[in-house]
Amino acid sequence: MSDANVQVTAAVVPKTQKTRSLWSDAFHDLRKRPTVVISALVILVMLLIGFFPGLFNFQGQNPKACDLALTRGGMSGSHWFGFDEFGCDYYAQAIYGAGPSIQLAIIVVTATLLIGGLFGVLAGFYGGWVDAIFSRAVDVFNSIPFLLGAMLLLTMFRDWKIPGLGTRFQAIIPAAITLIIFSWTGTMRLIRASVIESRGLDYVQAARSLGASDRRIMFRHILPNAMAPVVSLIPLSIAGMITAEASLSFLGLGVRPPEITWGMMISTGAGYFTTGYPRLLLVPSAFLIITILAFVLLGDAIRDALDPKLR
C-alpha cells in the first residue's frame, strides 16, 4: 500500500466554543449598556443612603433637631438645602427620608415574590380546581380599587402595633402589609403563566419518568426556568412600591410619624411651592424621581436582555 493511501491528512478541528446560558448572555449584554451602569450606580448609592444614612450626613445634622427660629431658612455651606417649616435641616431629612421608603419597598417585594411565587407555582403546576381557587382569589383582589382598599385598611389599623418591634418597623409594617395584600396577585399570575408554559416541556417529562416527586419537579426544574420574567419584574416592582408608599404618605396614610419619608416631605413642601420656597417640594421630588427612574431603567433593560424575542 502506497504512502499516499496510508497517509492521513490531519483535520483541523475547531475548538468548541463555550456556549453561554441565557443568564450569562444577558449579563454580558447588560454590562455594555451605559444606562444600566448608571442606573446600577444610582441604585447602589440610594440603597446605601437608605440603610446607612449616617455615611451621607456630611454635616452631622440631626433631622429631628428643629429650631423654629430657623424656619424655612435659606441654604448655606453647613445646611445645603436650608431648613423646613419647623426649622429642621432639610438635607438631613432628605437623606434619612430614604430609609423607610426603600426598606418598605424591599420588604413588600420580597413578600410578594414569596407569596405570589408559591401560589403561582401551585396553580400553574396542578391546574384544575387548584388553579381555579387561586385565579378566583386574584380576581377578587384585583376587583378592589387599590387606593380605596389601602386607605380603608390603613385607617382601620392606624394605631395597630406589633409588640417587640422597633420604632422604624412599627411605622413601616402597617403600610407594608397593606401593599402586600394588594400586590401579590401580579407576581402570582406571571409565575403561573411561566409554569403552565414549562410544565409540558421534555425535561419535565423526563424528570417525571425518572420518578421525581411533584415537589422536586416544581422547585428544582420548573421554577428556576420560570424565573426569567420575574427577575426583570423585581426592579420595576421596587419602583412601584416606592411610588405607592410616597402616594400614601402624601395622603397621610403611609409610614407613620415620627419617621420621615419623601412622600411626607412632598406633601408638606407642596404648600410652599408658590410662596417663595420651591426647594421644599423640589428636593424630595428630585430624590424620589431619580430613585424610581433608576429602578425602572434597570428593570426595562433586564427585561429586554432576558427576552429572546427582543434579543
Side-chain angles (χ1 to χ4, degrees):
M1 184 178 294
S2 63
D3 294 341
N5 293 329
V6 299
Q7 184 178 7
V8 177
T9 303
V12 179
V13 180
K15 293 183 178 180
T16 303
Q17 184 178 5
K18 186 177 180 181
T19 58
R20 292 179 182 175
S21 66
L22 174 65
W23 299 100
S24 62
D25 198 13
F27 175 75
H28 282 81
D29 179 45
L30 288 172
R31 69 179 185 178
K32 297 177 182 178
R33 301 187 183 186
T35 55
V36 172
V37 176
I38 295 173
S39 298
L41 290 176
V42 172
I43 290 172
L44 176 61
V45 172
M46 289 302 176
L47 290 175
L48 290 174
I49 292 175
F51 286 92
F52 308 101
L55 297 176
F56 298 85
N57 188 12
F58 303 113
Q59 288 84 25
Q61 300 293 334
N62 186 343
K64 298 178 182 178
C66 306
D67 184 355
L68 291 176
L70 300 173
T71 298
R72 295 189 293 276
M75 297 178 288
S76 65
S78 56
H79 303 282
W80 291 352
F81 298 152
F83 299 87
D84 66 0
E85 72 278 13
F86 298 111
C88 308
D89 184 81
Y90 215 49
Y91 173 79
Q93 288 207 332
I95 292 298
Y96 282 86
S101 300
I102 293 175
Q103 292 171 20
L104 179 142
I106 292 175
I107 291 172
V108 172
V109 171
T110 302
T112 54
L113 286 175
L114 294 175
I115 298 172
L118 176 61
F119 291 168
V121 169
L122 295 175
F125 184 80
Y126 288 110
W129 63 269
V130 177
D131 186 18
I133 291 176
F134 285 118
S135 297
R136 297 296 77 76
V138 168
D139 293 338
V140 170
F141 279 94
N142 286 341
S143 66
I144 302 173
F146 166 72
L147 187 59
L148 178 61
M151 291 175 65
L152 176 62
L153 289 177
L154 290 171
T155 301
M156 290 170 56
F157 298 103
R158 180 183 295 274
D159 299 324
W160 183 52
K161 294 183 179 181
I162 301 177
L165 288 181
T167 304
R168 167 64 58 85
F169 287 101
Q170 291 286 5
I172 288 177
I173 289 301
I177 293 175
T178 299
L179 292 174
I180 291 169
I181 290 173
F182 291 101
S183 302
W184 65 272
T185 57
T187 303
M188 182 267 178
R189 296 179 69 174
L190 186 62
I191 292 290
R192 171 183 172 273
S194 297
V195 172
I196 290 175
E197 183 179 357
S198 301
R199 69 183 180 185
L201 298 180
D202 292 340
Y203 71 89
V204 176
Q205 301 304 321
R208 192 183 298 278
S209 66
L210 292 174
S213 63
D214 288 350
R215 179 181 175 183
R216 182 178 180 85
I217 292 173
M218 282 189 290
F219 296 104
R220 293 291 299 274
H221 297 283
I222 293 180
L223 187 58
N225 290 281
M227 286 300 294
V230 179
V231 171
S232 63
L233 183 67
I234 292 175
L236 297 173
S237 297
I238 293 176
M241 291 305 109
I242 293 175
T243 304
E245 185 282 324
S247 301
L248 293 173
S249 293
F250 183 85
L251 298 173
L253 296 171
V255 176
R256 300 171 179 172
E259 295 299 323
I260 306 166
T261 68
W262 291 331
M264 295 178 185
M265 298 174 67
I266 291 172
S267 177
T268 303
Y272 296 98
F273 184 77
T274 59
T275 58
Y277 305 98
R279 59 182 169 79
L280 297 181
L281 174 63
L282 296 178
V283 168
S285 298
F287 274 90
L288 181 65
I289 292 172
I290 291 172
T291 304
I292 293 173
L293 184 61
F295 278 107
V296 169
L297 291 175
L298 181 62
D300 286 342
I302 293 175
R303 181 193 59 195
D304 295 345
L306 292 176
D307 192 337
K309 295 179 181 178
L310 296 177
R311 298 190 304 115

